[in-house]
Amino acid sequence: MKIIVHREKCQGHARCWAMAPDIFELDDEGYIMPGDIDVPEEQERLAWMGAKSCPERALDIQK
Ligand code: F3S
């Protein structure tokens, strides 16, 4: 599974990171790091919850 990161939509809510800090990395200003994220199978559930928690819909799930 892959998370497609729409960096331009990120407003720095950090909910993704709060849910799964090992998957979602933030920059020094609290915005998601640009670049899509490859998620290992055992972390898919957490990644899914983190992506869904973004109020800006900046994180899309690709299976
Ligand atoms: Fe940004 Fe959404 Fe995470 S606004 S920091 S991608 S919760």
Side-chain angles (χ1 to χ4, degrees):
M1 163 180 156
K2 198 177 223 190
I3 305 281
I4 310 298
V5 175
H6 301 285
R7 175 62 148 68
E8 71 285 356
K9 291 188 188 171
C10 177
Q11 297 293 324
H13 294 291
R15 292 192 199 172
C16 55
W17 173 83
M19 194 74 77
D22 291 341
I23 300 168
F24 301 101
E25 233 184 303
L26 306 185
D27 66 15
D28 290 345
E29 290 171 350
Y31 292 91
I32 191 91
M33 293 290 247
D36 298 339
I37 303 166
D38 281 315
V39 180
E41 208 175 324
E42 65 275 12
Q43 291 186 313
E44 283 188 355
R45 197 180 136 76
L46 260 185
W48 188 87
M49 287 177 10
K52 290 288 176 191
S53 75
C54 177
E56 307 296 335
R57 299 192 180 179
L59 306 168
D60 272 340
I61 297 160
Q62 193 179 72
K63 293 194 180 154

